[in-house]
Amino acid sequence: DAGITQSPRHKVTETGTPVTLRCHQTENHRYMYWYRQDPGHGLRLIHYSYGVKDTDKGEVSDGYSVSRSKTEDFLLTLESATSSQTSVYFCAISEPQGIWTEAFFGQGTRLTVV
Amino acid sequence: GNSVTQMEGPVTLSEEAFLTINCTYTATGYPSLFWYVQYPGEGLQLLLKATKADDKGSNKGFEATYRKETTSFHLEKGSVQVSDSAVYFCALSDQNAGGTSYGKLTFGQGTILTVHP
């Protein structure tokens, strides 16, 4: 298994509070991603990083911010959690292999906003 | 933009039945195509891939062929097992031409497969 650790694995938080999810990798992969998984939507990209301090928005970035100060860590922050952000969050990593890239996924963080 | 459409689920089969999960896509250029599998309580794992037209990806008895003329990448298995019960996702990624795709994935909505003994 790829060395990806997400923390926490489960979290319940109140509406309006800030929340930070952490993704840590031991593979030294260049790219890192945050996806959210919701029924009927599959996985949707929130933000991604293509290097230390290099990040960009994905499809559903509103209400989220990210930071990557080290190769191995990618943080996702919900500035002020809302009930619509209740979801399962997956971190992924990848390293280009020619024309394609294989992504490896963490085990997910289940976040409930009450 | 890119999009992926999978057949509606859930799919329920008896052991040793034939499986097909349909997947069609919309993309510019020549994307790479993937099937990922998610077992209960786990993250996603790559099941198979195809990177150019007419390529056939295969793994663990599953197969899918990259059909550019029909923009499809249907997943098939000749004889399913109880252990194949999982959620299956079709996905695509722009190819790394010029190094700007960054491996971002666009997923279908997922298909829940349940196999009964």
Side-chain angles (χ1 to χ4, degrees), chain A residues 33 35 37 90 98-101, chain B residues 38 43 49 89 96 102 105 108:
Chain A
Y33 317 83
Y35 292 90
Q37 181 179 17
F90 285 98
I99 62 171
W100 71 284
T101 302
Chain B
Q38 183 181 30
K49 72 177 189 302
F89 293 94
N96 289 332
Y102 304 120
L105 290 164

Side-chain angles (χ1 to χ4, degrees), chain A residues 4 6 22-23 25 29-36 44-50 56 58 66 68 74-76 89-96 100-106, chain B residues 36 93 96 101-105 107:
Chain A
I4 308 170
Q6 290 186 231
R22 180 180 184 239
C23 178
Q25 62 144 328
H29 281 9
R30 194 180 332 171
Y31 302 154
M32 298 186 75
Y33 317 83
W34 279 106
Y35 292 90
R36 60 178 287 174
R44 292 177 292 176
L45 182 65
I46 304 171
H47 281 279
Y48 66 101
S49 170
Y50 46 95
D56 205 349
V66 291
R68 191 172 180 195
F74 193 34
L75 304 181
L76 176 71
Y89 292 85
F90 285 98
C91 174
I93 65 174
S94 74
E95 187 69 30
W100 71 284
T101 302
E102 178 176 354
F104 298 91
F105 286 79
Chain B
Y36 279 84
S93 175
N96 289 332
S101 77
Y102 304 120
K104 295 174 291 181
L105 290 164
F107 285 90

Side-chain angles (χ1 to χ4, degrees), chain A residues 34-46 59-60 64 84 86-90 105 109-110, chain B residues 3-9 35-38 42-44 87-92 105-112:
Chain A
W34 279 106
Y35 292 90
R36 60 178 287 174
Q37 181 179 17
D38 303 290
H41 292 279
L43 278 77
R44 292 177 292 176
L45 182 65
I46 304 171
E59 177 187 357
V60 290
Y64 302 95
S84 65
T86 292
S87 187
V88 181
Y89 292 85
F90 285 98
F105 286 79
T109 294
R110 183 173 295 276
Chain B
S3 68
V4 176
T5 302
Q6 286 181 236
M7 66 183 288
E8 294 290 332
W35 277 99
Y36 279 84
V37 59
Q38 183 181 30
E42 299 185 7
L44 279 71
V87 183
Y88 292 82
F89 293 94
C90 185
L92 68 81
L105 290 164
T106 300
F107 285 90
Q109 62 267 49
T111 301
I112 300 172

Side-chain angles (χ1 to χ4, degrees), chain A residues 71-89:
Chain A
T71 299
E72 57 267 33
D73 290 326
F74 193 34
L75 304 181
L76 176 71
T77 297
L78 289 65
E79 304 290 347
S80 177
T82 68
S83 59
S84 65
Q85 294 176 311
T86 292
S87 187
V88 181
Y89 292 85

Side-chain angles (χ1 to χ4, degrees), chain B residues 58-101:
Chain B
S58 61
N59 186 26
K60 299 180 181 179
F62 292 89
E63 295 181 340
T65 301
Y66 189 143
R67 300 289 188 197
K68 190 163 179 62
E69 65 275 14
T70 54
T71 62
S72 64
F73 193 55
H74 304 321
L75 182 68
E76 296 182 337
K77 186 174 186 182
S79 177
V80 294
Q81 305 300 311
V82 172
S83 58
D84 293 326
S85 297
V87 183
Y88 292 82
F89 293 94
C90 185
L92 68 81
S93 175
D94 290 333
Q95 293 195 349
N96 289 332
T100 58
S101 77

